Amino acid sequence: METPYYLIDENRLLDNLKKIQFVRRHGDARSVLALKCFSTWSLFGLMRQYMDGTTSSSLYEARLGHETFGKEVHAYSVAFDEAEIRQLRAFSSKIIFNSVSQLQRFHSLAREQRPSPEIGLRVNPQVSYSHFDLADPARPHSRLGVIDQEAIREVLPLISGLMFHYNCENEDFENFSSLLDYLSETYGALLQQLDWVSLGGGVTFTLEEYPLVAFCEKLKAFSRRFELQVYLEPGEAVITGAAWLVTRVLDVVSNETDIAIVDSSVEAHMLDLLIYRETAEVEGSGEGSYCYTVAGRSCLAGDLFGSACFREPLQVGDTIRIADAAGYTMVKKNWFNGVRMPAIVVKRLDGTVEQVKRFDYRDYKSSLS
Ligand SMILES: Cc1ncc(COP(=O)(O)O)c(C=O)c1O
């Protein structure tokens, strides 16, 4: 198969989906896929069997969820405009506003639709778990959600639920648990009067070592206490461990260290590694003593996937696979330097391998005008 390509393995994805199903059954918590993380819709046929719908950050994401996933469509945005509400109200199950001013401006417009979407409001609980200031929704001066509880109380008759998104790559169940206790104590009086609450995404509950049963018990106790439907909005947790970026070595050069240049680019195809200053997980790395910097082919000096040591010296034409290449990766790919865009390849449950999308020069040209 011609490289580069993103490879998604449905069996690996299924492992995560089964855990999501477990949480639906034993934690009474519905899960809606965060499209901002992963919106490769040729996988939605499988995903919709295990999830309750999608959640979005824009009109286009919401529309994609409606058209390709179905089930519940949660429409959220940091800020909507009027034309967007007119479109969203026709197919959204819930419209979640980020501020009291947006809620007051648009709630009756949203409700003109029959049947009308449920209306929610995002809260900033001023507590969070995040390794990165850049991604911390409760960082100082955050614009994400309403802080003032009195203001929320005043608009309570206009809404049926609240959304909290306050975790980011939270692998610590004790922390999740104590933050949920904090929400119960702080917002209990409000939650009692509502029908649903979303706890957002950012919890790594599909990882092998995560205490899934305790997680379910915690969620169930929370929903029972306040008699409301709990939603989770997993993104990364859905797709983690299920995808690779498959590349090929184009050249090996040396500058005090050996550098393998592959037919892909961090800047164009795995941008988050640069944004968060992380290194890629190169498959087979650490197995030998032939060490290289694996580098992208864009002009950016820092276009480096990371270091890796192999059993054999690398040759031009060798394949290098970068793990965990789906979440916040495919949604951010871009045409920087005109580098050939990775195709999208799916390994189906029955083992057949299908190229579901390939890109060519016309896609590059039509991305601008
Ligand atoms: C509102 C909201 N929900 C869900 C998510 C998904 O988070 P994750 O992919 O970490 O699970 C995000 C991520 O930023 C978010 O902002």
Side-chain angles (χ1 to χ4, degrees), residues 8-48:
I8 304 166
D9 184 337
E10 282 194 337
N11 277 299
R12 292 288 197 94
L13 176 60
L14 187 60
D15 292 342
N16 295 336
L17 293 172
K18 283 182 177 162
K19 291 185 181 171
I20 289 168
Q21 175 84 301
F22 186 88
V23 175
R24 286 164 96 197
R25 288 207 180 120
H26 301 284
D28 289 346
R30 294 186 190 163
S31 271
V32 286
L33 172 68
L35 291 174
K36 72 183 71 185
C37 172
F38 185 75
S39 27
T40 307
W41 43 271
S42 38
L43 278 303
F44 289 176
L46 175 64
M47 296 169 92
R48 85 165 66 86

Side-chain angles (χ1 to χ4, degrees), residues 35-326:
L35 291 174
K36 72 183 71 185
C37 172
F38 185 75
S39 27
T40 307
W41 43 271
S42 38
L43 278 303
F44 289 176
L46 175 64
M47 296 169 92
R48 85 165 66 86
Q49 298 169 44
Y50 296 84
M51 301 188 73
D52 297 281
T54 54
T55 186
S56 54
S57 343
S58 64
L59 168 65
Y60 285 177
E61 276 191 0
R63 182 173 160 185
L64 185 79
H66 167 64
E67 287 178 2
T68 62
F69 199 110
K71 303 181 98 172
E72 292 191 42
V73 175
H74 293 204
Y76 163 77
S77 171
V78 172
F80 291 113
D81 67 27
E82 184 181 324
E84 289 171 338
I85 297 294
R86 287 184 188 280
Q87 291 186 57
L88 284 167
R89 64 185 185 179
F91 57 78
S92 299
S93 337
K94 294 183 173 45
I95 298 182
I96 302 169
F97 293 101
N98 183 62
S99 69
V100 169
S101 51
Q102 283 252 310
L103 170 69
Q104 286 173 330
R105 190 169 314 134
F106 293 132
H107 77 92
S108 32
L109 185 64
R111 282 227 180 77
E112 276 172 12
Q113 182 76 28
R114 288 286 170 267
S116 50
E118 292 177 61
I119 304 293
L121 183 64
R122 178 168 180 173
V123 179
N124 173 355
Q126 294 186 288
V127 290
S128 60
Y129 182 103
S130 175
H131 303 283
F132 306 100
D133 177 56
L134 185 64
D136 181 355
R139 72 190 208 155
H141 312 296
S142 172
R143 70 200 187 296
L144 305 173
V146 182
I147 291 175
D148 182 356
Q149 280 200 51
E150 192 44 46
I152 302 172
R153 201 166 292 120
E154 278 170 22
V155 295
L156 223 48
L158 305 181
I159 61 177
S160 60
L162 294 176
M163 189 264 268
F164 297 84
H165 170 73
Y166 55 105
N167 288 295
C168 179
E169 291 184 30
N170 189 347
E171 66 290 328
D172 178 351
F173 171 70
E174 294 310 322
N175 176 277
F176 171 82
S177 180
S178 60
L179 285 181
L180 195 59
D181 290 342
Y182 174 80
L183 295 192
S184 303
E185 281 155 32
T186 314
Y187 298 94
L190 298 174
L191 293 171
Q192 254 152 12
Q193 302 176 59
L194 294 167
D195 301 331
W196 57 271
V197 66
S198 171
L199 300 176
V203 181
T204 65
F205 67 94
T206 55
L207 291 185
E208 197 63 51
E209 56 280 8
Y210 200 84
L212 206 57
V213 172
F215 183 59
C216 289
E217 278 164 11
K218 190 79 200 176
L219 291 170
K220 194 151 69 179
F222 180 78
S223 64
R224 295 233 164 121
R225 176 166 170 196
F226 299 111
E227 293 180 354
L228 38 66
Q229 176 62 55
V230 170
Y231 286 89
L232 302 173
E233 303 181 1
E236 194 72 59
V238 183
I239 194 68
T240 188
W244 296 262
L245 174 60
V246 183
T247 69
R248 207 171 291 280
V249 177
L250 295 178
D251 197 8
V252 180
V253 296
S254 196
N255 179 3
E256 294 180 13
T257 176
D258 290 327
I259 305 162
I261 300 171
V262 298
D263 57 358
S264 177
S265 156
V266 186
E267 172 86 7
H269 308 151
M270 285 193 89
L271 184 60
D272 261 15
L273 292 179
L274 290 182
I275 294 177
Y276 292 102
R277 295 173 186 272
E278 292 180 323
T279 55
E281 198 187 313
V282 180
E283 216 175 64
S285 168
E287 288 176 1
S289 54
Y290 296 95
C291 297
Y292 299 84
T293 297
V294 177
R297 70 193 301 199
S298 86
C299 66
L300 185 76
D303 193 333
L304 308 173
F305 284 96
S307 311
C309 297
F310 303 94
R311 284 210 194 108
E312 306 283 339
L314 284 179
Q315 309 288 346
V316 168
D318 283 352
T319 299
I320 292 188
R321 286 160 58 114
I322 316 281
D324 241 341

